[in-house]
Amino acid sequence: MNDTARGVVELARPGNCVAAGLLTATGAFVAGTEGAAVAAAIATVTTAFAVAAGNAINDYFDRDIDAINQPDRPIPRGAVSARGALAVSAGWFAAAVALALALPPLALAIAAVNLAALVTYTTIFKGTPGLGNLLVSYLVGSTFLFGGAAVGAPRAVVVLALLAGLSTFAREVIKDVEDVVGDREEGLTTLPVAVGEDRALWIATGALVVAVVASPVPYLTGTFGVVYLLVVAVADAVMLFACYESFANPTAAQQRFKYGTLLAALAFVVGRAALLV
């Protein structure tokens, strides 16, 4: 694979695309409707294309910041031109739209809102203290709603979406602390720039604590059994440790958060699976 092809693949961030697709698939599975495998698969692939498009357009608008913070990314290192990245993003957006048209109206509406949010994130919200973090948090939480809506049962995954959104907010704030040098250089007023790095990390920790406190709700309401509670407790512990770690090493902490989020999603999967046994 030559560097241009490798750069196009890197623009998508395949790991993020797969992770987001799995979250949508999780939402569809937890919703638990019969005979909706095709809709769930379409929603999963739609999510992957949308995330790829969003990542590519983010790299396009962030190319000057990435030259400072992430010089090995495709555009700064010259593997893909800025115009090429924009064209690739447009193609992936078109694929996501075409697939979403096959889904129920609510799922299509969520997809439309999310695609608009992906475009406006970098151009409007990213440099606004807290708002960019909230938007990304909504996008992650909405992947579960999208999966539930695709199979006709969005209410079943509302709690999961809220928990994912809160934990994502914490991780996004930690990422902003990691990127604070480049963001200051580009004049972006992210939350750590506006209120200070330590204060921003305490805000992130507070959001996560709310998610941790709320995470037993599906068990307490009888939606899932003790298996869910055990797995989500591990996820909570991983993310709480990541918050602690973020004060010394935000780079390692925000990577650890990804594992915690996936563990939380796994808790819902095993919780649902246990009901089917």
Side-chain angles (χ1 to χ4, degrees), residues 14 128 155 166 196 238:
T128 306
R155 291 183 182 179
L166 286 168
V238 169

Side-chain angles (χ1 to χ4, degrees), residues 23-40:
L23 298 184
T24 294
T26 299
F29 177 73
V30 170
T33 58
E34 297 292 335
V38 173

Side-chain angles (χ1 to χ4, degrees), residues 243-256:
C243 276
Y244 168 78
E245 185 180 35
S246 68
F247 288 87
N249 188 345
T251 300
Q254 65 95 3
Q255 290 296 325
R256 193 180 307 279

Side-chain angles (χ1 to χ4, degrees), residues 166 169-170 200-212 243:
L166 286 168
F169 177 81
L201 290 172
W202 279 115
I203 292 171
T205 301
L208 181 67
V209 168
V210 173
V212 168
C243 276

